[in-house]
Amino acid sequence: MEGRLAQSSTVTPPGRYTLPPTRYFSEDILFCIDVDPESLVEMKVTGPIGRPFTRLDSIKQAIHLFINAKLAINTDHRFAFAALGKSAYWLRKEFSSDVDSATAAFRGITVDSSSGNADLTQLFRVAAHEAKKSRAQNRLLRVVSSWIHFHITFSYIIGDVPIMELSIGP
């Protein structure tokens, strides 16, 4: 299973099933959050004070729960945050396992009203660079991306020639 490394093998008595003791790899998790104006669309769910949740509120809540769950499994997991506007940019570049600094990073997200289709080239370059750094520290890099766009067109271009286009949405 990915992300797990067996520490020892044990003999299981007949009729009983047990899991061998394992150690989870430490992970660097890069969250990439779409900051398109569509992220401010209100959902049908309201918060505890009656204010409707936006898509961005829901994403922030999911990230907060995810971080706490991952740290309950392994306190050595670290998190960094990037946003996707017209291109990828850092919200917090340093990976950290501090929940308060992680919460502050994604709470500071603002919506980019001028954003259109994000250029993912820079995001992939950043992820490749961070993966090399993580591997050098015997860590796994995971990239978690949230997309809010209702309609997205992906174009794959080699040189100056478009080779494929994929549309998602209505």
Side-chain angles (χ1 to χ4, degrees):
M1 178 182 290
E2 182 183 344
R4 294 175 65 173
L5 178 65
Q7 290 178 334
S8 66
S9 59
T10 60
V11 177
T12 305
R16 288 191 58 190
Y17 177 79
T18 60
L19 292 173
T22 59
R23 179 180 66 84
Y24 288 93
F25 281 107
S26 298
E27 298 176 13
D28 288 339
I29 301 170
L30 172 59
F31 288 99
C32 300
I33 301 153
D34 188 4
V35 292
D36 187 82
E38 290 180 45
S39 64
L40 295 180
V41 171
E42 292 180 350
M43 299 172 52
K44 295 179 183 178
V45 180
T46 59
I49 59 172
R51 183 181 68 85
F53 277 125
T54 64
R55 292 175 180 175
L56 186 57
D57 292 334
S58 297
I59 288 169
K60 289 177 182 181
Q61 182 66 29
I63 290 171
H64 184 73
L65 293 171
F66 181 86
I67 288 171
N68 283 294
K70 289 298 277 186
L71 289 174
I73 294 168
N74 183 346
T75 58
D76 197 34
H77 291 322
R78 302 183 310 186
F79 308 93
F81 298 89
L84 297 171
K86 287 193 179 207
S87 63
Y89 59 92
W90 288 106
L91 295 168
R92 193 185 78 216
K93 186 174 182 176
E94 299 80 26
F95 284 91
S96 169
S97 58
D98 180 38
V99 176
D100 292 334
S101 67
T103 302
F106 68 79
R107 281 198 177 144
I109 296 171
T110 58
V111 173
D112 183 0
S113 60
S114 66
S115 68
N117 290 336
D119 177 7
L120 299 179
T121 306
Q122 186 177 356
L123 173 62
F124 293 133
R125 285 184 182 139
V126 166
H129 176 72
E130 293 300 326
K132 289 177 188 175
K133 289 172 34 180
S134 293
R135 244 181 274 129
Q137 298 173 19
N138 200 27
R139 304 176 67 85
L140 294 176
L141 175 73
R142 298 201 189 274
V143 178
V144 178
S145 181
S146 71
W147 288 94
I148 298 173
H149 287 82
F150 184 65
H151 185 272
I152 302 172
T153 302
F154 295 96
S155 297
Y156 301 94
I157 301 172
I158 296 179
D160 294 330
V161 181
I163 58 168
M164 181 172 65
E165 190 168 287
L166 170 68
S167 289
I168 302 171

